Amino acid sequence: MAFVPSIINPLGQRLQGSCPINWSNKMQSVISYPDRGHWGDPKWRGNCSGRVYQDLFDQLQPKTFADPMVGSGTSVEVAKEMGIQAWGLDLHSGFNAIADSILLAVGQQVDLCVSHPPYGSMIKYSGSVWGSEPHPGDLSHCSSNEEFHEKMQLVLLNQRDATKPQGFYGTIIGDYRKAGTYTSYQAEMIARMPSSELAAVIIKQQHNCVSDARSYAKLTLPRIQHEYILLWQKKSAPILMLLGAMAKEQYARLTGTWKSIVGLVMQRLGGKANLDQIYHEVSRAAPNKLAENPNWKAKIRQVLNSTSLFRSSERGVWMLAA
Ligand SMILES: C[S@@+](CC[C@H](N)C(=O)[O-])C[C@H]1O[C@@H](n2cnc3c(N)ncnc32)[C@H](O)[C@@H]1O
């Protein structure tokens, strides 16, 4: 495969005013580095190409950088070589990014804080890559995807806390297919962090994965050969305001589910139906949802009245809006 030069795109943003980082617009949203460079340890399972950090630093020009899951040290080696003050933390040396404050460990807010967590349980770190036993704080030993998503949300908020206003925080993460289930960690992270701060989603081609050497006789779906670099830009909003905005977004998604249920049954009913027909069809389509909400009929009426997705042509009769 031909070498594609490293390129990243931050949605064309150029930072203004007192922003500590100069976003110079050299990079684009798809990157590929067949050669990982000399930084870090190529034998460290799940290590990252130093070129990712090299290009990120070149692009963002941070003066200070922190990596709360530094692994074999790739990111910090690149940073130091480029004259950037850098801190590398990791569970293997006693720092737990879920429970310990990055800000307190580093002692100051940084321009850029990027993590590279385990991709769920794809590679187990404590007890395998380092240490003799599994560590309870190890993200690669979560007992479920939900536990991983919740803990990673805390890690990202921790990173945000350690980032200067207008600086960037982010993560490098891949997707995982196991026993027929596809988990998109990046989609969960984007959904769980403030949408107003999402700054860039970069897709990186993966090279030299252990799974490349395996053959999956029954695999009918495309082999995963990419990962993501997600970047958020910290706005000045106080954390409580931010959490309030995030809760509002989650609530909108929940009511969005009701809208989808009602929309789906309206489709099944030919796009036009009276209230009794809608109640009947919803009760067949979503029995669990109804068990959670004793006022489900009122909820349906509220949904019908609260969005431009539906309109009433005559009393009690509803249509999907064109
Ligand atoms: C994918 S590796 C990082 C590889 C690194 N970028 C490199 O190039 O060597 C993930 C790292 O996350 C660390 N880790 C797992 N859970 C952690 C936690 N709760 N806090 C801090 N580090 C953690 C693991 O010890 C492992 O070193």
Side-chain angles (χ1 to χ4, degrees):
M1 159 153 321
F3 175 75
V4 182
S6 53
I7 19 181
I8 304 182
N9 157 50
L11 309 177
Q13 288 173 323
R14 189 174 284 276
L15 302 182
Q16 305 287 333
S18 62
C19 172
I21 291 177
N22 169 27
W23 192 288
S24 54
N25 253 353
K26 280 179 277 188
M27 303 167 92
Q28 300 192 12
S29 63
V30 180
I31 58 177
S32 177
Y33 314 90
D35 151 38
R36 70 174 300 287
H38 60 273
W39 309 275
D41 181 355
K43 293 197 211 74
W44 185 272
R45 292 283 321 274
N47 73 86
C48 183
S49 164
R51 309 240 176 252
V52 174
Y53 299 102
Q54 192 181 36
D55 277 359
L56 264 181
F57 297 152
D58 200 29
Q59 177 74 34
L60 296 170
Q61 302 278 308
K63 292 190 174 59
T64 50
F65 166 77
D67 180 343
M69 300 178 195
V70 78
S72 69
T74 310
S75 60
V76 165
E77 283 181 29
V78 177
K80 291 194 171 155
E81 210 175 276
M82 293 174 76
I84 298 161
Q85 195 179 6
W87 291 263
L89 309 163
D90 198 291
L91 196 61
H92 64 47
S93 35
F95 179 83
N96 182 347
I98 304 159
D100 304 329
S101 161
I102 302 168
L103 178 57
L104 288 182
V106 168
Q108 64 177 79
Q109 286 184 320
V110 291
D111 295 327
L112 178 64
C113 183
V114 177
S115 60
H116 182 208
Y119 300 175
S121 58
M122 192 185 293
I123 298 170
K124 305 259 193 218
Y125 283 91
S126 54
S128 304
V129 176
W130 56 263
S132 52
E133 305 219 335
H135 187 295
D138 187 343
L139 282 157
S140 68
H141 284 281
C142 289
S143 57
S144 65
N145 275 333
E146 189 53 29
E147 184 186 338
F148 182 85
H149 300 323
E150 280 175 3
K151 288 184 169 171
M152 264 316 293
Q153 185 180 19
L154 276 181
V155 171
L156 290 170
L157 288 170
N158 195 358
Q159 289 180 233
R160 182 185 185 276
D161 197 40
T163 304
K164 285 182 189 167
Q166 306 305 320
F168 287 84
Y169 59 100
T171 196
I172 302 171
I173 188 76
D175 291 340
Y176 190 24
R177 185 188 287 112
K178 190 179 180 191
T181 301
Y182 191 103
T183 306
S184 180
Y185 299 113
Q186 61 96 17
E188 279 291 335
M189 290 177 189
I190 290 175
R192 285 165 194 252
M193 293 305 288
S195 58
S196 60
E197 296 197 347
L198 185 64
V201 176
I202 296 148
I203 297 172
K204 172 183 171 291
Q205 184 176 2
Q206 279 182 312
H207 296 274
N208 309 318
C209 302
V210 170
S211 60
D212 290 351
R214 294 191 192 127
S215 77
Y216 299 91
K218 287 198 204 135
L219 191 64
T220 52
L221 295 162
R223 191 193 285 249
I224 298 170
Q225 283 196 315
H226 68 283
E227 53 203 335
Y228 303 87
I229 293 129
L230 308 177
L231 288 175
W232 290 266
Q233 185 180 16
K234 181 174 174 177
K235 303 261 168 76
S236 310
I239 186 69
L240 282 182
M241 231 165 98
L242 187 91
L243 291 174
M246 283 161 63
K248 224 166 139 186
E249 282 174 14
Q250 300 299 347
Y251 180 75
R253 277 196 195 96
L254 195 67
T255 53
T257 311
W258 270 103
K259 283 179 199 161
S260 305
I261 293 170
V262 176
L264 181 69
V265 306
M266 290 285 280
Q267 285 170 347
R268 284 191 194 160
L269 291 166
K272 183 175 177 180
N274 66 36
L275 265 180
D276 284 337
Q277 290 170 308
I278 297 171
Y279 293 150
H280 177 71
E281 199 59 28
V282 170
S283 70
R284 289 194 327 129
N288 295 342
K289 200 94 191 141
L290 306 191
E292 284 165 21
N293 188 339
N295 303 315
W296 63 273
K297 289 189 178 175
K299 184 74 203 167
I300 289 172
R301 288 194 299 279
Q302 186 201 2
V303 165
L304 286 166
N305 280 300
S306 68
T307 165
S308 56
L309 282 177
F310 312 109
R311 67 187 171 86
S312 179
S313 54
E314 55 199 276
R315 200 174 159 74
V317 177
W318 287 88
M319 297 172 74
L320 270 172

